[in-house]
Amino acid sequence: MKYEKLLQPGKIGNLELKNRFIMGAMGVGFAKLNGHPTDRTVAYYEERAKGGYGLIITEVTRVQDSEFCTPFEPSLGSDEFIPEWKKVTDAVHQYGARIFPQLHQPGRQYTQAILGHQVNAPSPLACPTFDEVPHELTTEEVWDNIHMFGDAALRAQKAGFDGVEIHAGHGYLVQQFLSPFTNRRFDEFGGSIENRARFATEICKDIKKKCGDDFPVIIKLSSEEKVPGGLTISDTKILAKYFEDAGYDAIEATICTYASLDWMSAPEDVPMGFNAYNAQEIKEGVNIPVISIDRINTPEIAEDILETGKADFVSISRQSLAEPYFPKKVAEGNISEINPCINCLQSCMGYMTDPNHLTACCLVNPRVGHEKEYTFDPAKKSKNVMIVGSGPAGLYAAYVASKRGHKVNVYEAQEQLGGQFRIAALPPCKSLLTGPLRFWIQEGKKQGVTYHTSTPVTKDLVQKENPDVVILATGATQVKPNIEGINGENVFMANDVLEGKQVVGRNVLIAGAGLVGLELADFLRERAGRKSTLIDMIPTVNYGVLGVGTHLQARLASNDTKYILNAKIKKFTDHGVIYEQNGEEKEAEGFDSIVIAMGSKAYNPLEKELKDLNKELYVIGDATQAGQANKATEEAAAVAFKI
């Protein structure tokens, strides 16, 4: 397939871009708490510029230091930030890319606990996520905010940015003015659609006045809010005409608000390029370029959007985390070498919403945020590396170590490579998980990695092969507690059911309501509508990262999945379990089959045996502690880029 449209130059205003690839804005949190960009910021954007993007749009950037939506959000709130941003723009420009900051005010979508003051909004309506009644901006304060955007754009221009993007999507302040869902004003900034558009149109006019008509300005719109009484595409098509008249040079068509946040980074059960139709609707009514975004993860989807006239540019967001060199590999025809985003959201959205992290990474590319220290420069000394285990930790370590010049052998006890990740790809909407397995193995083979399957590793084998380095990535095993009746003929292990080694009846009791149990219930739902009841000691069910989790919850609800919580299993019976709940013994019965999905535990039988061999020895991934796959690849990176 040819990618002629993607590789064509294009213009936003008078600014020429070398291709139609735009790196979409995503929060990554590499700035300091005070909003100053850092060396990590420079390295992160520089890597994507090297990767061939025509335009890079930064993460949300403050126009006012006291207003932000993540603690590590960078700032253009005063002139003191210009020198650090100049380092970013200089780094990007040396590779022929252009760069815009995404200017932003959160409005009601944050919390006084972090900001230190009451949140602001067009009207005193609380955000459903944070449930804090905001201060209603006075008309004078609205104009002050307009001028803050203009002042920040001028600083951006002085810092070497080629234009700016105004974030009027995802429910932030500019969108709050646009939408009847959030705007109940009756001054010149509320009521009619023209009045609701005024905040955004005046921002553009202020920027053009301060920076010049040739300084391009993009507006990012939520074409649909996906909430009752919110913006629809019909509204947005009208708004787009106002924005074109006001001087905006392009429109990026996104989707959702915080009240419908699961659409922001939609999971695999939503089709790739699902939001392109909204870009097409907007494009029909304006003459300025329109940019499509949301789940554009493959060059085929991207090219089709352009070729069929749905949009003029494509915005690649989470895929640019997984593969910084996406445009370059398309241009060179190396499509199979694109590291795929799997829409897991574990290290991007998951980390950004986790108070213990607040900076992004990527499961399939743990170099995100470590571009400066994790390089593929050749190792000072080539070593013989033995890797035991072929899950994500083992395969990623092999890929990196071999690419850095080490001789690598991977040993897997099972017949197939992939470890638990291979099995994790079997439930519904998880097929993308096979992508990084293919990529790591393919790229490893190119670098000379030898993969040994059906080969359990012993101390004798290690002594025989005599490697310089041993990396134990032996993964985890399923937990099977010592409970009476657990070895009954009607009791099966989750992985055996997922792999088709065991077939269950139509009414199934699943012991364990963690992610394995939930995904197993989803798997059984697809097989002739088998019904599942999940039993667990936990008080509430955690369906996982927003988007992935909410869609999983909806699918299970559609099949009338049931839960027995706060329950400790005392005994497995022929058709159910006896359990204790709130101090009372109860029985759940009438089930055809019982499946154990009670988690995993680290499997590390070799470490003690190998310690006396005086080898460079590392233990990574689930072999240290069973957990999510992103932790496994992060630990693999820390070792493989060091040896």
Side-chain angles (χ1 to χ4, degrees):
M1 182 174 177
K2 295 181 179 180
Y3 301 98
E4 296 175 353
K5 294 289 185 182
L6 281 168
L7 300 173
Q8 282 181 355
K11 279 189 172 183
I12 292 180
N14 290 324
L15 181 70
E16 183 158 316
L17 306 180
K18 62 183 179 181
N19 56 41
R20 303 304 174 108
F21 287 100
I22 295 176
M23 175 188 160
M26 289 167 294
V28 290
F30 298 149
K32 296 178 182 178
L33 278 170
N34 59 11
H36 283 266
T38 64
D39 289 344
R40 289 180 79 188
T41 311
V42 176
Y44 169 72
Y45 290 115
E46 182 179 16
E47 183 82 349
R48 275 88 197 149
K50 287 181 189 176
Y53 283 93
L55 173 62
I56 289 171
I57 301 177
T58 73
E59 65 183 305
V60 287
T61 301
R62 313 178 203 189
V63 303
Q64 180 182 6
D65 286 342
S66 60
E67 300 289 330
F68 48 89
C69 69
T70 67
F72 296 102
E73 180 179 326
S75 180
L76 275 165
S78 68
D79 289 353
E80 69 180 272
F81 299 98
I82 293 175
E84 283 105 342
W85 278 119
K86 189 67 166 60
K87 294 178 184 177
V88 175
T89 59
D90 285 348
V92 167
H93 286 151
Q94 66 180 319
Y95 298 100
R98 305 291 192 165
I99 183 168
F100 290 14
Q102 187 183 71
L103 302 182
H104 160 263
Q105 285 275 49
R108 71 179 193 167
Q109 288 188 168
Y110 210 41
T111 174
Q112 183 171 351
I114 303 295
L115 294 175
H117 59 77
Q118 187 180 13
V119 295
N120 300 305
S123 300
L125 299 170
C127 170
T129 300
F130 293 103
D131 196 26
E132 296 181 17
V133 177
H135 161 68
E136 182 175 18
L137 292 165
T138 66
T139 303
E140 183 180 0
E141 288 171 333
V142 174
W143 283 105
D144 288 342
N145 271 272
I146 289 167
H147 299 318
M148 287 178 198
F149 276 92
D151 292 342
L154 181 59
R155 294 184 196 107
Q157 189 179 47
K158 291 177 179 178
F161 283 101
D162 302 288
V164 296
E165 178 173 82
I166 304 304
H167 200 341
H170 299 164
Y172 295 119
L173 184 65
V174 183
Q175 182 176 334
Q176 289 164 31
F177 274 94
L178 297 176
S179 174
F181 181 63
T182 43
N183 185 345
R184 309 296 165 83
R185 301 174 71 93
F186 47 88
D187 61 0
E188 65 263 42
F189 294 101
S192 68
I193 193 166
E194 180 184 13
N195 282 357
R196 285 187 277 114
R198 182 166 281 114
F199 184 63
T201 58
E202 291 297 334
I203 286 173
C204 185
K205 292 174 184 177
D206 196 63
I207 292 172
K208 295 288 187 175
K209 180 180 179 182
K210 290 170 178 172
C211 300
D213 288 337
D214 287 341
F215 191 66
V217 185
I218 300 172
I219 186 165
K220 184 173 186 175
L221 291 173
S222 279
S223 43
E224 296 179 89
E225 289 190 304
K226 297 286 188 182
V227 292
L231 290 171
T232 66
I233 186 59
S234 298
D235 303 309
T236 307
K237 290 175 70 172
I238 297 169
L239 289 168
K241 296 177 187 293
Y242 280 109
F243 299 146
E244 181 177 23
D245 291 344
Y248 280 103
D249 298 283
I251 296 169
E252 185 174 14
T254 186
I255 201 166
C256 90
T257 174
Y258 270 25
S260 52
L261 199 55
D262 54 320
W263 288 94
M264 184 188 291
S265 300
E268 190 181 338
D269 63 349
V270 176
M272 286 193 184
F274 72 94
N275 195 33
Y277 74 94
N278 278 322
Q280 183 177 24
E281 289 276 326
I282 294 169
K283 183 173 166 56
E284 288 174 358
V286 297
N287 296 307
I288 55 177
V290 177
I291 304 161
S292 181
I293 192 172
D294 294 311
R295 284 217 71 209
I296 304 174
N297 288 1
T298 71
E300 294 89 349
I301 292 291
E303 178 74 10
D304 180 72
I305 288 170
L306 300 180
E307 195 173 50
T308 56
K310 294 183 178 70
D312 302 285
F313 295 86
V314 288
S315 187
I316 313 295
S317 47
R318 304 207 180 268
Q319 178 60 51
S320 71
L321 295 176
E323 180 53 84
Y325 290 80
F326 187 82
K328 189 176 185 207
K329 290 181 178 180
V330 172
E332 293 173 349
N334 297 322
I335 307 302
S336 67
E337 295 181 7
I338 293 172
N339 194 9
C341 170
I342 59 175
N343 282 89
C344 67
L345 307 183
Q346 286 185 10
S347 298
C348 49
M349 287 283 284
Y351 276 4
M352 290 301 293
T353 56
D354 183 349
N356 295 316
H357 286 92
L358 299 176
T359 59
C361 196
C362 177
L363 187 157
V364 302
N365 178 26
R367 292 186 63 235
V368 170
H370 302 278
E371 287 85 0
K372 192 173 182 180
E373 64 266 37
Y374 287 174
T375 72
F376 287 106
D377 295 341
K380 292 180 180 179
K381 179 184 177 183
S382 179
K383 298 177 180 179
N384 289 326
V385 180
M386 172 185 274
I387 297 176
V388 187
S390 69
L395 292 178
Y396 186 77
Y399 157 64
V400 172
S402 63
K403 195 165 183 177
R404 295 184 59 236
H406 297 297
K407 182 180 179 182
V408 180
N409 282 270
V410 175
Y411 292 82
E412 170 57 56
Q414 303 299 317
E415 294 179 5
Q416 297 183 63
L417 300 172
Q420 301 259 19
F421 214 58
R422 173 181 59 81
I423 300 171
L426 296 173
C429 307
K430 301 293 290 292
S431 68
L432 293 177
L433 268 61
T434 61
L437 296 178
R438 176 204 56 79
F439 174 81
W440 294 326
I441 294 167
Q442 166 192 284
E443 296 304 301
K445 285 180 177 178
K446 288 179 183 178
Q447 303 299 329
V449 176
T450 302
Y451 299 93
H452 308 264
T453 56
S454 302
T455 309
V457 173
T458 62
K459 182 177 180 180
D460 289 343
L461 180 60
V462 176
Q463 289 176 308
K464 177 185 174 183
E465 297 299 327
N466 193 29
D468 302 306
V469 180
V470 178
I471 299 175
L472 299 178
T474 43
T477 57
Q478 297 176 91
V479 171
K480 188 176 183 180
N482 186 20
I483 299 174
E484 184 180 351
I486 200 167
N487 293 315
E489 292 183 359
N490 63 330
V491 182
F492 310 106
M493 300 302 293
N495 285 357
D496 291 338
V497 175
L498 288 169
E499 291 192 86
K501 295 177 181 178
Q502 299 287 350
V503 178
V504 298
R506 297 189 59 80
N507 188 20
V508 182
L509 179 66
I510 299 174
L515 201 55
V516 173
L518 294 168
E519 291 182 348
L520 175 63
D522 198 23
F523 176 84
L524 295 175
R525 173 191 60 81
E526 274 197 343
R527 274 129 194 92
R530 285 175 166 84
K531 301 289 185 180
S532 297
T533 298
L534 293 87
I535 183 169
D536 204 307
M537 295 174 63
I538 58 176
T540 57
V541 176
N542 181 357
Y543 293 90
V545 181
L546 184 68
V548 175
T550 48
H551 287 227
L552 170 60
Q553 182 179 7
R555 292 196 301 273
L556 294 178
S558 72
N559 197 42
D560 194 27
T561 303
K562 294 181 169 55
Y563 304 88
I564 304 171
L565 302 178
N566 286 308
K568 182 179 180 180
I569 297 173
K570 309 291 286 186
K571 179 183 177 180
F572 290 93
T573 66
D574 289 343
H575 299 288
V577 293
I578 296 171
Y579 64 96
E580 184 180 306
Q581 186 182 57
N582 300 323
E584 181 182 352
E585 189 168 279
K586 301 180 180 180
E587 185 172 4
E589 57 182 353
F591 299 97
D592 304 318
S593 307
I594 302 168
V595 184
I596 308 300
M598 302 176 84
S600 301
K601 60 181 178 180
Y603 179 68
N604 181 18
L606 287 172
E607 184 179 12
K608 288 182 180 179
E609 289 189 41
L610 301 183
K611 278 191 172 179
D612 62 351
L613 295 183
N614 294 319
K615 301 290 182 185
E616 196 175 341
L617 180 66
Y618 302 95
V619 184
I620 60 175
D622 281 1
T624 58
Q625 182 179 352
Q628 290 186 324
N630 58 342
K631 299 293 186 184
T633 55
E634 287 169 24
E635 290 177 14
V639 169
F641 284 107
K642 179 174 70 173
I643 58 176

